[in-house]
Amino acid sequence: MLKRPIDLILFWGFLSLMLAVAGPVRAGAASSSREVCPRPAPGAVVPEPEDLRSENGALQVDLHVRNQRETDGSWRFCYVLGNGSQAPTLRLHPGDLLVLRLRNELNIEPGAPVAHAHASAADPCASGAMELRATNLHFHGLTIPALCHQDEVLKTSIGPGDPPFEYRFRIPAEEPPGLYWYHPHIHGFSTPQVLGGASGALVIEGIEQANREVAGLPERVLVIRDQNLLNPDAPPSSSEPVVPKMLIDRDGDAANNGTGFGKPAKDLSINYVPVPYPDYPPASISIRPNERQLWRVLNASAITYLNLAVLYNRKPQPLSIVALDGVPLNANGNAANQIETRDHIGVPPGGRVEFILEGPALGESGLFVTRTVDTGQGGENDPNRALALIVPAENASEPRSILADPPARAVATSRAAASARTWLGDVQPVRVRKLFFSERLRDANNPNSATDFFLTVDGEEPRAFDPAATQPNIVVKHGDVEDWIIENRSSELHAFHIHQLHFILVGFNDMSVNEPFLRDTVNVPYYNGRALQYPSVRLRMDFRDPNAVGTLVYHCHLLEHEDGGMMGTVRVDK
């Protein structure tokens, strides 16, 4: 979790501004019913995604992926059900069968694909054709096999006009209960599709059986996405402090200026309600006074880091964290109903956090915000900004989903099952590997040149990821536990992610860390050009799960970087 200091005076000034400009709450209708992927208006009430729940051990879904062109030339993407609702939350239990039929209805003219195609372009499982009008799905965080029709992303490519493509897999019986998500993973084109809104939440039920503290609570699923600026040419708000001249980074976005203010690289939205620059009119969430709820928050951004906080009358509130990246905090076998309390929570792109929040008292003003994130000299600008007003009201509608209240025996049994495998932190690694993030201008004499991005095994020459490569970057043996040291040799923050498994953070800049939480995405600090060594994290990687066999991918979850070559593969052999 990011814990970088910020200028408190500037931050409180920002909050005063947000509370002043909040204005009246508007119920949100889409801007046009004729739009293919309609969105609510700024300032709207935060809608709840439709819940699709498994019945009798199975969930069958017919999902359409569609798009429309924006006036600035960018694309909007959406997953749509037959009734027109977008981005449903898929809810399953461990052991359930998911059958998801995805139809590609993208309306995009053929373009030049990435130089990567396999033997049979007619077979979506072997096509490998990576272009903007192709798509596939990655089920982020789930420990399901990297096989076609399950969670394979290097060869699977569904073209427009193809018959519906069936994803069919069973949720592992030991899958931790928590928040996961689904999104496209077309190499080279994941950024425009995710930035355009192609993402949705997936919940594995049963967290109330892992931690009694959440039993019986109403729950909200909040998907925070980024998008191109709605008002790119607008000057900053007149009440915002003067900042240095805006600079553009090598990705063409607003560069980090280190102040917590200025134009952001991207706008944010919360359940598709946009919160646009420069005034950031917040969305609205109504809650009964002092009610405790479980908030399940997904950072589905393509490039934006979050640093979440909740403030009542400008005072930071305690957020009681019960799960990270889909895994309850007591997955380490702790018999207690483990909770970690923070007043702000860093969530990288792709990360998830689940926390208990107590609503404000009647008459209090509440605000859900993201605080500034220092992404480094080469990074994008992620300033302080509001996300949503939290409005206490006696007649507030309850969220549609309320967690069960299981008997204490069921909770104890669930914890015992979760701890059946030796806790990862108690296993000694069989080997240690080092990898590093780095970047290189294609034209060293032009600071605005395009950039190549690399994620390299130490001792090898940096090379951009080649999807057509036949040999993996790393080979490991199923059943092993390894430590991977991930260095950052670039001047911007990166987020390391690996498919099919979770890991724990055991070291930070050569210092041991006692963090008994599983993750699937973690930040790696940037290099400031002055330190005597590169920043790094040390991760304990778990290759013991039988579903973590085959060829898995790891990459930076800033999708511009992944698309630009910052990715690799690890083959897990039996």
Side-chain angles (χ1 to χ4, degrees):
M1 299 178 190
L2 284 174
K3 295 183 180 178
R4 295 189 178 279
I6 65 171
D7 186 323
L8 290 178
I9 295 175
L10 291 178
F11 183 55
W12 294 124
F14 159 76
L15 293 175
S16 300
L17 167 66
M18 287 299 99
L19 290 170
V21 304
V25 175
R26 293 182 288 168
S31 55
S32 170
S33 61
R34 292 172 295 179
E35 290 182 314
V36 174
C37 300
R39 300 285 190 258
V45 172
V46 175
E48 291 190 78
E50 182 168 342
D51 284 324
L52 300 182
R53 298 177 182 272
S54 61
E55 296 182 4
N56 300 318
L59 174 61
Q60 297 197 36
V61 181
D62 289 296
L63 205 58
H64 309 256
V65 59
R66 296 173 181 164
N67 69 290
Q68 69 181 61
R69 196 70 178 258
E70 299 287 81
T71 56
D72 65 358
S74 64
W75 295 97
R76 186 184 293 181
F77 291 82
C78 55
Y79 293 120
V80 183
L81 295 173
N83 63 8
S85 65
Q86 297 184 53
T89 298
L90 310 181
R91 291 180 173 270
L92 301 105
H93 295 83
D96 281 351
L97 176 69
L98 175 64
V99 180
L100 189 157
R101 292 172 289 269
L102 179 65
R103 180 182 287 275
N104 183 344
E105 296 179 354
L106 297 178
N107 182 21
I108 299 172
E109 289 299 316
V114 171
H116 163 216
H118 291 269
S120 174
D123 179 3
C125 286
S127 168
M130 300 288 155
E131 55 181 335
L132 185 59
R133 64 184 192 141
T135 197
N136 59 19
L137 280 178
H138 169 47
F139 297 91
H140 185 123
L142 291 182
T143 52
I144 54 176
L147 298 173
C148 190
H149 300 286
Q150 297 194 55
D151 196 32
E152 197 284 327
V153 298
L154 293 176
K155 300 178 183 178
T156 304
S157 176
I158 309 158
D162 286 353
F165 184 85
E166 184 176 275
Y167 285 91
R168 176 185 287 266
F169 55 84
R170 194 168 294 280
I171 304 298
E174 64 277 9
E175 192 76 76
L179 179 62
Y180 302 81
W181 65 300
Y182 57 94
H183 65 86
H185 209 290
I186 289 289
H187 183 65
F189 298 92
S190 59
T191 304
Q193 293 195 11
V194 173
L195 190 66
S199 57
L202 188 155
V203 173
I204 301 301
E205 304 281 21
I207 194 169
E208 71 280 0
Q209 297 180 31
N211 192 320
R212 182 77 186 180
E213 289 295 318
V214 303
L217 295 185
E219 59 173 324
R220 293 184 184 274
V221 174
L222 300 173
V223 182
I224 300 174
R225 301 172 174 90
D226 58 5
Q227 62 185 56
N228 289 323
L229 297 177
L230 292 179
N231 308 305
D233 300 323
S237 172
S238 59
S239 55
E240 185 172 283
V242 176
V243 299
K245 182 180 178 181
M246 189 195 69
L247 300 176
I248 301 297
D249 72 0
R250 292 193 294 266
D251 299 320
D253 300 310
N256 177 35
N257 60 40
T259 69
F261 293 95
K263 182 182 293 188
K266 304 294 180 187
D267 278 335
L268 291 173
S269 68
I270 179 167
N271 288 4
Y272 287 127
V273 180
V275 188
Y277 167 84
D279 294 322
Y280 307 118
S284 178
I285 296 173
S286 186
I287 185 172
R288 294 179 183 177
N290 303 114
E291 182 176 60
R292 296 172 77 241
Q293 295 185 351
L294 176 67
W295 283 21
R296 308 180 112 155
V297 183
L298 156 63
N299 185 358
S301 299
I303 68 168
T304 304
Y305 295 89
L306 300 176
N307 190 4
L308 301 174
V310 170
L311 303 107
Y312 297 160
N313 291 346
R314 306 178 186 176
K315 181 180 178 181
Q317 298 301 299
L319 306 177
S320 300
I321 305 169
V322 297
L324 281 176
D325 287 355
V327 184
L329 298 192
N330 57 5
N332 62 352
N334 190 334
N337 294 320
Q338 187 172 352
I339 284 176
E340 289 287 327
T341 301
R342 300 283 190 272
D343 64 8
H344 65 102
I345 308 167
V347 188
R352 290 88 68 212
V353 62
E354 300 168 70
F355 57 84
I356 299 170
L357 172 76
E358 183 174 316
L362 201 63
E364 283 188 314
S365 57
L367 198 61
F368 185 34
V369 305
T370 180
R371 295 161 48 159
T372 184
V373 177
D374 182 3
T375 61
Q377 183 179 359
E380 287 81 18
N381 200 35
D382 285 350
N384 298 303
R385 46 188 148 168
L387 294 170
L389 293 171
I390 304 173
V391 182
E394 295 283 5
N395 61 349
S397 299
E398 288 279 40
R400 65 164 59 100
S401 182
I402 297 177
L403 293 163
D405 193 356
R409 179 181 177 187
V411 176
T413 302
S414 173
R415 281 200 296 267
S419 60
R421 184 183 294 158
T422 303
W423 168 243
L424 182 58
D426 295 333
V427 179
Q428 289 300 308
V430 298
R431 66 186 56 84
V432 178
R433 303 180 192 268
K434 180 185 287 187
L435 296 82
F436 62 90
F437 289 114
S438 63
E439 303 176 11
R440 184 171 61 211
L441 290 174
R442 292 182 186 173
D443 181 354
N445 297 317
N446 179 6
N448 295 318
S449 167
T451 305
D452 289 318
F453 298 94
F454 311 107
L455 180 46
T456 309
V457 176
D458 193 39
E460 299 181 2
E461 275 297 312
R463 284 191 291 271
F465 176 69
D466 179 6
T470 57
Q471 294 300 312
N473 300 94
I474 296 172
V475 177
V476 305
K477 185 177 180 181
H478 172 245
D480 282 354
V481 169
E482 300 189 348
D483 274 9
W484 286 15
I485 298 170
I486 315 294
E487 279 187 348
N488 190 348
R489 301 182 184 179
S490 78
S491 62
E492 65 177 309
L493 190 63
H494 293 294
F496 177 84
H497 169 60
I498 187 168
H499 293 202
Q500 273 75 44
L501 58 91
H502 283 73
F503 51 78
I504 58 173
L505 178 68
V506 296
F508 184 88
N509 288 341
D510 287 339
M511 296 183 294
S512 295
V513 173
N514 181 20
E515 188 186 84
F517 315 140
L518 289 167
R519 301 173 181 263
D520 60 40
T521 310
V522 67
N523 289 331
V524 186
Y526 64 87
Y527 178 57
N528 62 15
R530 301 185 302 274
L532 298 179
Q533 61 184 21
Y534 295 113
S536 66
V537 297
R538 184 173 180 134
L539 311 176
R540 188 143 299 163
M541 311 294 289
D542 192 353
F543 297 100
R544 295 175 296 170
D545 194 292
N547 289 318
V549 172
T551 300
L552 323 181
V553 302
Y554 55 85
H555 56 84
C556 176
H557 216 284
L558 271 75
L559 299 184
E560 287 179 346
H561 301 171
E562 173 204 315
D563 285 340
M566 199 170 262
M567 188 157 83
T569 58
V570 52
R571 194 182 72 217
V572 184
D573 292 336
K574 288 186 178 180

